[in-house]
Every structure is written in structure tokens, then in C-alpha cells.
Amino acid sequence: MRFYLSKNHYSPKGLYIGPMISYSTARFTTDYYKNMDIYIRATHFNINFLMGWQGVINRFVFDVFWGLGYKHNTWVEHYSANRISSLNMDNLSGFYKSPVKLTLGFNMGFGR
């Protein structure tokens, strides 16, 4: 969801603000371990407040955004239905383990 701050609210260009929520999960395994129901599951959950600018130049659309938010990242080892444990995250950088989420992005496309 984006809320454009320009006077023309029907044209999606100019400065905007808005929330962003994302959730993703993935399983990592091999064919051998998959048959034994052994895998690692990574889950990333993010809530962000974004600010950005979108412009149109000769039908090309440019979008630059940045923001701050909260994140919760987990990695879990699954050995069987009876044995599940969290991975040791001590070797990861402090930025990855921190609940602070910094977002910086750029999108571009072609409009009609």
C-alpha cells in the first residue's frame, strides 16, 4: 500500500509513504535427507515503514525507496517429528541477528 503525497492522488508518481509486510519460508535439504524427513527451515518475517519517490520519464517508471522496520529471522533444524532444534546463530553477523530492518531498494519498469 502506498500513499502518494502529491496533489494529484490519481497519478502514481512523486513522493510516497506506506507500510510493507513480508513473510517467506524455505526448506533446505537433499534428495537423500528428504526421504528421512531431515531439513533446515529458514523463515523471515518483516514489518517496514517505507518512504520513496516514483517518477515517469518517457513511459519508463523509476521507483526509489528506503525505510526502517522490524524483522524476525529463524533457522530451524528438523531431524524427525520428535526432534526439532534452533540453529546456533552465534557465527552470523550482528546485523542479521538484530531485529532492526533497514530497507533500500530500486525498481524500474515500462508503462503504457
Side-chain angles (χ1 to χ4, degrees):
M1 175 63 74
R2 292 180 178 178
F3 300 99
Y4 286 88
L5 304 177
S6 64
K7 295 190 185 289
N8 183 0
H9 299 289
Y10 299 105
S11 177
K13 62 184 177 180
L15 195 63
Y16 65 85
I17 58 172
M20 182 184 83
I21 298 173
S22 66
Y23 173 85
S24 62
T25 186
R27 278 187 181 189
F28 301 95
T29 189
T30 65
D31 287 338
Y32 176 76
Y33 287 121
K34 183 179 180 181
N35 293 330
M36 294 184 288
D37 197 29
I38 297 174
Y39 59 87
I40 295 174
R41 184 179 66 234
T43 304
H44 288 187
F45 173 71
N46 302 290
I47 298 175
N48 302 292
F49 181 76
L50 300 179
M51 183 175 196
W53 178 86
Q54 181 169 306
V56 180
I57 302 172
N58 294 333
R59 296 175 42 179
F60 285 96
V61 181
F62 300 91
D63 178 24
V64 179
F65 58 93
W66 55 94
L68 184 64
Y70 167 80
K71 69 179 179 191
H72 182 70
N73 300 331
T74 60
W75 290 74
V76 176
E77 292 176 300
H78 184 271
Y79 293 105
S80 67
N82 300 333
R83 192 166 154 225
I84 300 172
S85 64
S86 294
L87 284 173
N88 183 353
M89 306 285 269
D90 292 339
N91 294 332
L92 297 174
S93 71
F95 183 73
Y96 184 80
K97 293 187 297 184
S98 168
V100 176
K101 170 75 172 172
L102 300 175
T103 302
L104 178 62
F106 175 77
N107 297 313
M108 64 183 210
F110 186 72
R112 291 168 154 242

